[in-house]
Each structure stands twice: as C-alpha cells, then as structure tokens.
Amino acid sequence: MTENETDYPEIREEVAKLCARFPGAYWRELDKIRAYPTEFVTALTEAGYLSVLIPEEYGGSGLPISAAAAILETIQATGCNGGACHAQMYIMGTILRHGSPEMKAEYLPQIATGALRLQAFGVTEPGSGTDTTALRTTARRDGDDFVINGQKIWTSRAEHSDLMLLLARTTPRNETARKTEGLSTILVDMREAIGHGLTIKPIRTMMNHNTCEVFFDDLRVPVKNLVGEEGRGFRYILDGMNAERLLIAAECIGDGTWFTEKSVHYAKERQVFGRPIGQNQGVAFPIARSYAQLQAARLMVREGCRRYESGQNAGEQANIAKMLAAEASWACAEACVQTHGGFGFAEDFDVERKFRETRLYQVAPISTNLILSYISEHVLGLPRSY
Ligand SMILES: Cc1cc2nc3c(=O)[nH]c(=O)nc-3n(C[C@H](O)[C@H](O)[C@H](O)COP(=O)(O)OP(=O)(O)OC[C@H]3O[C@@H](n4cnc5c(N)ncnc54)[C@H](O)[C@@H]3O)c2cc1C
C-alpha cells in the first residue's frame, strides 16, 4: 500500500510468510476459548525471531532494536498478535545489562534457543500499577534464600513462561531514604515454584491476553537469582522501559497498518447506492486522517530506535512514540469499524478482535496520562504532578 517498509525488507518478508500460516481463523478459535497461541510462538521461536536482541556470543542474532521493531510491526500488520510473546524479546535485557557474567552464561543461551521462556514480568500489584514504588511484595533474606510474600496482578503469560522477572521490596520502605530504593529484581524459576509458594490464577479479559494474578506465600528463591545489586531494581526496570515502549509502539504501527489496509479494501469493494462507499468523503476521510496519524507516529518510532541504537537517551522519543502509535492504531481501528458498518462487529472479519486487542496499548505497559506526565515534567520542565 505504501512505501513504509524500507528497513529489514528480508526479515519483514520472511516474518510475513511465517505469519501467513496463522490466518484469522487460527486467532478466532483461540480467542473464543482464550487459549495461548503455542504453535505460533513455537514457530517464531524456532525461526529465531524472539532472540534477535540477544548478542551473538549468547546464541542470539545480536540485531539492533529496529530489527525487533520490524518483526513485531510485521506480525501485527499481518493480523497476528505478538502480545503472546513480545516480552521474550526484551525482558532478558535486564539480565544482559545488570546480571553477573555467571547469570548471563547460564540463562541467555537457553533463552535464545527458547528452551527457557522468560516472558513474565511481575511488577504491577493490585495496589500499585502506575505508582510502582508503592508495591508491597517483599523478599526477605533467610540464609542463601529470599523468602517472597505478596501478590502481583496482570502478570501476562505467567502460565506460559518458565521464568519471571520479579520486582520486590528487599528493604522496608521506612528504612530507605527514597521510595525508589530498596527494591530488587529477582529471577523466579516458576517451574520449581508452582505449588511450593507460588500460585497462578488467570484473569479473563476483553481480549485473549493470557494475563494472570500471581500469589507468593513464603516462596523460597536462591539469593543467586538476584539480578544485579540488591536495592537497585527500580533503576534496572526503568532502564528497560525505553526498549519496551519502542517495541510496543512498533506493534501499534503494525496494528494501524492492518486496520488501514482492511478499511481501504472494504471501502473500495462495498457498494451502497450503486457506488463504492469509499467514494464518500465521510468514509474516506477518517481512514485518511488516521493513516496520517499513523505515518507521523511511525516516524517517531524510527527516531526513537535510531537514538536508542546510537546510545543516546531515547526517553522522550520512546515515550512519545508509544503514545502517538497507540493513539494512531486506535484511530485506525475506530475508522475500520465504522467503515465496515455492521460487519465491523462480526467475528469473521477479525476487525472486532483486533479492535479489542489494540485498545490495551493506551493503558499498558504505561497509560497515556503517565506519558503526558513524563513529557510535562522531564521534557518540558513543568512541576511534578504527583
Ligand atoms: C492486559 C494487561 C496486561 C498487563 N501486563 C502486565 C505485565 O505483564 N506485567 C506487569 O507488571 N503489569 C502488566 N500490566 C499492568 C499495567 O502496566 C497497568 O495496568 C498500568 O500500568 C496501569 O496501572 P493500573 O492498572 O494500576 O492503573 P492505576 O494506576 O490505578 O491508574 C488508573 C488510571 O488513572 C490514571 N492515573 C493514575 N495516576 C495518575 C496521575 N498521577 N495523573 C494522571 N492520571 C493518573 C492512569 O493513567 C489510569 O488511566 C498489564 C495490564 C493489562 C490490562
């Protein structure tokens, strides 16, 4: 449709071929019963797409973030859903940046092959979503173990992950100078933990996202599973956020592309009053407007990736990219439903499914308001609002 796909054309072509094996009917069946797309994730893993950000010395392909963005964008643009496994690409970044040489050697090669799935990220709690440092899950030292107690919520893919990167408080809040201190990142091996202090309970949501509540009841985890230094976990989580935001923004660009292509196709085909509905500006303009939004967001994703890859601070660009891309994909989704009239609500058209799926990205992994707060405070220097 457009000349957008200029970077990584071979990767995009191969990913699109793989995705063609998983058409709308595949996703519709899973959506009905809220099941995990195991075959799809296995295919991506075996093709090596989920390990592109892992350096070659650990068995990945050591590609830059724009390659990962191209993969996720393509997955979404073909109508598939990378939300089932996108975190396998980036959660490992915390181990890569902050883990000890022994930890990296032990885990990264296995994550690269997919033998170990590290795609559960335990940060949000029932009482602390946006306000992360208010979290209450504790990890208390007892000999060579941490003893973990508390609860996480919205831990996506927990039932389909071997490991979880957990953020827990290791020093009580009243013993730290700042609320951002005393939090630690710990790698939890969920295979050993289930039934021994770890319980996972799926949450049914408006889309098929395999997200869960996770309960910790005196769960023992070896101290050697601490990632980096004790007490610096919040900083480590922040370090990974730009990558996550850029990659999810790329997924939104893919979603927006899918919606726009669907809208254009239908608006040309559907005849009402003896002419294609797309001939009416009332139908064409919302598609054109949301496409314009999408293209602007696409440029910001590219700029964010460029800065990230050149080692510059990409905070502003990653946040803006995530916000604009999530809003653009939603505008494209809205135009697509409206263009399809009644058929926008029919399951067989996939529009309603994608509409539900793309809505998430204005709330998670960070909500639009919090991005606006970031821009206000950290970019524009306005007073902090909370
Ligand atoms: C399907 C799904 C999957 C998720 N997956 C994960 C995961 O894998 N791991 C994980 O740790 N978390 C996950 N999350 C959690 C997600 O990151 C949080 O839902 C998100 O950060 C918002 O937190 P909250 O839901 O507690 O909302 P709250 O913090 O309660 O906020 C509610 C609303 O108030 C607004 N608000 C709050 N404070 C302010 C303020 N100061 N100024 C302006 N507006 C404000 C917010 O923007 C939001 O719109 C997931 C969530 C969902 C729904």
Side-chain angles (χ1 to χ4, degrees):
M1 181 172 66
T2 64
E3 300 200 358
N4 293 316
E5 290 81 23
T6 48
D7 60 343
Y8 302 101
E10 296 87 6
I11 290 183
R12 288 175 191 270
E13 203 183 316
E14 290 304 315
V15 172
K17 267 193 222 160
L18 185 156
C19 289
R21 290 162 36 203
F22 302 92
Y26 172 78
W27 297 98
R28 285 197 292 278
E29 284 312 305
L30 297 173
D31 191 67
K32 270 184 204 150
I33 52 170
R34 294 292 190 269
Y36 189 71
T38 304
E39 290 165 30
F40 172 70
V41 176
T42 303
L44 286 176
T45 306
E46 286 174 354
Y49 293 127
L50 300 182
S51 59
V52 290
L53 295 177
I54 298 179
E56 283 176 290
E57 59 177 307
Y58 296 113
S61 35
L63 292 174
I65 195 160
S66 48
I71 291 167
L72 292 174
E73 183 192 325
T74 308
I75 289 172
Q76 300 305 111
T78 57
C80 295
N81 190 359
C85 52
H86 54 200
Q88 178 82 2
M89 277 184 170
Y90 55 77
I91 296 181
M92 67 79 206
T94 304
I95 297 180
L96 186 61
R97 279 185 298 274
H98 306 292
S100 64
E102 296 75 32
M103 181 177 255
K104 288 193 234 189
E106 180 179 350
Y107 288 104
L108 292 177
Q110 295 190 72
I111 295 169
T113 60
L116 276 182
R117 296 163 303 167
L118 169 56
Q119 50 175 2
F121 197 31
V123 177
T124 307
E125 298 186 1
S128 60
T130 302
D131 187 5
T132 306
T133 56
L135 66 79
R136 294 166 67 169
T137 296
T138 55
R140 179 178 51 80
R141 283 284 275 261
D142 182 30
D144 291 338
D145 289 339
F146 283 116
V147 179
I148 301 173
N149 280 289
Q151 185 196 341
K152 295 290 169 181
I153 193 170
W154 307 119
T155 313
S156 300
R157 304 159 297 268
E159 291 179 301
H160 305 280
S161 193
D162 302 305
L163 306 171
M164 173 198 291
L165 186 70
L166 173 74
L167 185 67
R169 187 160 279 290
T170 40
T171 307
R173 171 69 188 92
N174 57 9
E175 292 173 25
T176 59
R178 310 170 74 188
K179 60 181 182 176
T180 51
E181 294 167 5
L183 297 168
S184 301
T185 36
I186 299 168
L187 207 50
V188 176
D189 191 328
M190 296 197 289
R191 296 166 303 174
E192 297 165 2
I194 291 175
H196 299 96
L198 181 87
T199 311
I200 301 176
K201 217 173 129 199
I203 306 172
R204 211 177 149 85
T205 53
M206 72 191 261
M207 67 297 177
N208 184 17
H209 199 82
N210 307 103
T211 195
C212 302
E213 283 181 285
V214 178
F215 300 88
F216 304 92
D217 183 12
D218 283 337
L219 173 70
R220 299 189 84 89
V221 174
V223 168
K224 71 176 176 56
N225 286 21
L226 176 71
V227 184
E229 279 178 53
E230 189 171 322
R232 293 184 55 79
F234 185 67
R235 169 58 38 203
Y236 300 161
I237 296 293
L238 288 185
D239 287 349
M241 282 182 172
N242 288 340
E244 183 186 56
R245 279 170 206 174
L246 287 169
L247 292 176
I248 287 179
E251 290 188 310
C252 292
I253 300 295
D255 278 345
T257 305
W258 184 89
F259 285 117
T260 305
E261 285 178 359
K262 272 287 230 215
S263 298
V264 168
H265 177 76
Y266 192 76
K268 284 181 180 169
E269 295 287 309
R270 175 76 169 171
Q271 301 277 327
V272 179
F273 298 115
R275 56 190 191 146
I277 55 169
Q279 205 176 326
N280 303 297
Q281 290 179 335
V283 174
F285 283 7
I287 304 172
R289 180 180 292 278
S290 56
Y291 175 71
Q293 282 178 253
L294 187 70
Q295 293 301 77
R298 186 190 299 276
L299 289 179
M300 192 48 98
V301 177
R302 260 189 218 158
E303 173 61 3
C305 289
R306 187 193 66 74
R307 283 181 72 95
Y308 187 92
E309 285 166 9
S310 66
Q312 291 169 277
N313 182 349
E316 174 181 344
Q317 291 72 19
N319 276 284
I320 295 177
K322 156 72 174 56
M323 183 182 85
L324 295 183
E327 289 179 349
S329 76
W330 182 241
C332 295
E334 171 60 19
C336 193
V337 170
Q338 199 65 16
T339 301
H340 280 76
F343 288 115
F345 299 83
E347 283 183 2
D348 280 357
F349 279 68
D350 293 316
V351 173
E352 61 82 37
R353 172 178 61 84
K354 292 283 277 183
F355 181 83
R356 287 183 278 118
E357 288 172 359
T358 211
R359 182 61 180 84
L360 174 65
Y361 298 120
Q362 287 176 82
V363 171
I366 182 173
S367 69
T368 303
N369 274 1
L370 262 288
I371 293 182
L372 291 171
S373 293
Y374 174 91
I375 298 168
S376 305
E377 182 187 342
H378 297 286
V379 179
L380 302 176
L382 289 164
R384 185 177 174 82
S385 64
Y386 55 89

